[in-house]
C-alpha cells in the first residue's frame, strides 16, 4: 500500500490515522487502533457531544460513510466498502456461544469500527511466521480492529453494542 506522504498530510486527521495504521497491519497481523480523532462517519447517536449528529438510527451518517470509504479507497488503492452495521444482540453467532466466522472467499480484510457499547473479539489465523496464532481484544466506542484476510473471528458483546464492518480488498479481487 503506497500512499504519497504529501497526500496523507492533506487528509483529515482521522483518515491519516487509519491509513498509517493499515500501513503497519495490512497483510500482516490483527491490530487495534485507539484513534486520537473521531471519524465523522461513525458516531453514537446518543453521544452528548453531538458526534453522532446526522447519523441514522444505526449510528452511521450515510453521506459521511460514503465519503469515508471513497477517500480511504483513494488513499490506499484498495476497494473499500461499508459491508454492514450490526448490533451485537441481533447478529448471528454473537454471544456466549458465538460461532467462528471467516470472510467469504478469504480475500477480504476487515476493519471493524465500534460505534456503541463494548465487544470482545477473538481472532484465529496464520501469522506472518506461518504458525497458527490467536488474538483477543475488547473494543470500546470509537476504536477500530483490523482483521486480516483468511482469519476467523467471533465476538461476544452486550446486546446493545453496535459496530460497523468495513471490507477492504485489492482492486482486482
Amino acid at each position: 500500500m503506497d500512499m504519497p506522504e504529501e497526500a496523507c498530510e492533506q487528509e483529515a486527521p482521522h483518515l491519516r490515522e487509519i491509513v498509517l495504521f493499515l500501513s503497519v497491519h495490512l497483510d500482516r497481523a490483527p491490530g487495534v487502533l485507539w484513534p486520537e480523532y473521531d471519524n465523522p462517519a461513525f458516531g453514537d447517536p446518543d453521544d452528548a457531544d453531538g458526534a453522532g449528529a446526522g447519523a441514522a438510527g444505526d449510528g452511521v451518517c450515510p453521506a459521511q460513510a460514503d465519503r469515508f470509504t471513497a477517500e480511504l479507497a483513494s488513499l490506499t488503492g484498495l476497494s473499500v466498502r461499508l459491508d454492514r452495521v450490526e448490533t451485537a444482540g441481533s447478529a448471528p453467532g454473537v454471544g456466549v456461544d458465538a460461532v467462528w466466522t471467516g470472510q467469504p472467499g478469504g480475500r477480504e480484510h476487515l476493519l471493524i469500527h465500534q460505534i456503541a457499547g463494548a465487544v470482545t473479539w477473538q481472532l484465529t489465523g496464520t501469522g506472518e511466521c506461518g504458525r497458527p496464532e490467536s488474538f483477543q481484544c475488547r473494543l470500546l466506542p470509537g476504536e477500530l480492529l483490523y482483521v486480516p484476510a483468511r482469519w476467523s473471528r467471533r465476538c461476544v458483546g452486550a446486546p446493545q453494542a453496535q459496530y460497523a464492518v468495513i471490507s477492504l480488498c485489492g482492486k482486482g479481487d
Side-chain angles (χ1 to χ4, degrees), residues 28-109:
R28 292 184 183 100
V32 175
L33 173 64
W34 297 281
E36 186 173 337
Y37 301 97
D38 289 333
N39 185 337
F42 307 104
D44 183 350
D46 300 323
D47 203 354
D49 70 1
D58 61 6
V60 175
C61 178
Q64 290 284 356
D66 289 346
R67 180 176 175 196
F68 167 72
T69 57
E71 289 175 342
L72 189 58
S74 172
L75 290 170
T76 62
L78 299 169
S79 174
V80 179
R81 78 174 190 287
L82 174 61
D83 195 29
R84 63 193 174 280
V85 175
E86 293 182 347
T87 301
S90 65
V94 175
V96 176
D97 296 322
V99 296
W100 290 92
T101 57
Q103 291 88 304
R107 291 188 309 264
E108 290 186 337
H109 305 268

